[in-house]
Amino acid sequence: MAPKSRSYQHSATPFVIFAQLLAIAVTTIVFVLYLHFEGGFAFKSKDKTKIFNVHPFLMVLGLIIIGGEAIMAYKIVPGGRRTQKGVHLILHLLALTARILGIVFIFRYHNEVGDKDMQTLHSWLGIITISLYGLQWLLAFFAYCFPGAEMSRRATLLPWHTFFGMVIFLLAVATALTGLSGFCHELSTRGFISNFTGLLIDPFICNHCYPHCYPSSRLLS
């Protein structure tokens, strides 16, 4: 008699819990880095560093943390499919808003200190990422939330939505890492914290790439 087939699928719960712990760690470390070592945050200040500090904090918060939580909404949010989809959409909108504000602050900082904009690979990646993120959000809204969208079209678009979502998320991580790598040129306390934050972001990526964090085509209602 042939042996019964075994399922090698694993529960997403350990990955989700680990990702939540990493999210808390990254947020705390980045907040302490810019609040304690870099002087804090400000919209307007004689100390222009405080204006700059808002940019990396919002970008990490939006690009990595909130965006990652939006990806996992289908696993961490209790309730029905409609509730999970609504939280997924809102969290991505909050992430996009944080990114736009982060861009505003870095342009404001450059304007006040007299620096030129868009001079680095980091800045190019940032603009590309935020543009693709906004386009992805709009397309998803009209495909999955706008009344009258056909179920067959939703099912067809879902694999592409998932694929490009991960590509954009990885671009966001690359943007964050290039920004952190340019933060400090010596292994001081600040440089050590910056490097350690980058190391924490790497396993955070792997957890969000876990396929069980995404909805299946059977759950498109």
Side-chain angles (χ1 to χ4, degrees):
M1 180 181 295
K4 295 181 179 179
S5 61
R6 297 180 180 179
S7 173
Y8 291 94
Q9 291 185 346
H10 301 284
S11 170
T13 302
F15 294 87
V16 171
I17 293 175
F18 185 50
Q20 300 307 303
L21 295 176
L22 286 174
I24 293 172
V26 171
T27 304
T28 302
I29 291 173
V30 172
F31 185 76
V32 171
L33 173 64
Y34 289 102
L35 184 66
H36 179 72
F37 290 97
E38 295 300 316
F41 309 96
F43 177 74
K44 187 176 182 179
S45 175
K46 292 182 179 179
D47 184 359
K48 306 307 178 185
T49 302
K50 293 183 178 181
I51 299 174
F52 170 83
N53 290 346
V54 181
H55 168 75
F57 180 72
L58 285 178
M59 298 309 276
V60 170
L61 188 66
L63 286 169
I64 310 301
I65 305 303
I66 302 178
E69 294 298 300
I71 291 174
M72 295 192 300
Y74 295 99
K75 289 297 179 183
I76 64 177
V77 176
R81 169 68 182 178
R82 189 178 297 273
T83 300
Q84 293 173 339
K85 184 166 66 173
V87 173
H88 177 77
L89 184 73
I90 292 172
L91 285 177
H92 273 308
L93 181 60
L94 290 175
L96 180 61
T97 302
R99 298 172 191 201
I100 292 173
L101 289 175
I103 295 293
V104 169
F105 271 92
I106 195 61
F107 275 96
R108 179 182 178 86
Y109 168 77
H110 286 164
N111 181 62
E112 295 202 8
V113 300
D115 285 347
K116 294 182 179 180
D117 297 312
M118 305 300 299
Q119 298 296 302
T120 63
L121 174 62
H122 171 70
S123 63
W124 288 18
L125 284 174
I127 291 298
I128 292 171
T129 302
I130 196 171
S131 299
L132 292 176
Y133 198 98
L135 180 60
Q136 169 91 337
W137 190 90
L138 285 174
L139 292 176
F141 175 80
F142 285 108
Y144 296 104
C145 300
F146 197 73
E150 297 179 1
M151 291 297 295
S152 59
R153 182 173 298 178
R154 292 180 178 182
T156 302
L157 290 176
L158 182 60
W160 294 105
H161 174 70
T162 301
F163 172 74
F164 284 111
M166 282 313 308
V167 169
I168 295 170
F169 184 67
L170 292 175
L171 274 175
V173 171
T175 302
L177 292 178
T178 55
L180 287 171
S181 65
F183 176 73
C184 196
H185 298 289
E186 59 181 11
L187 198 59
S188 60
T189 301
R190 291 176 294 177
F192 177 82
I193 294 175
S194 178
N195 290 346
F196 187 68
T197 303
L199 290 177
L200 286 178
I201 288 175
D202 289 335
F204 192 76
I205 304 169
C206 296
N207 277 275
H208 289 76
C209 290
Y210 187 67
H212 287 184
C213 291
Y214 295 95
S216 67
S217 58
R218 296 173 306 203
L219 300 175
L220 289 171
S221 57

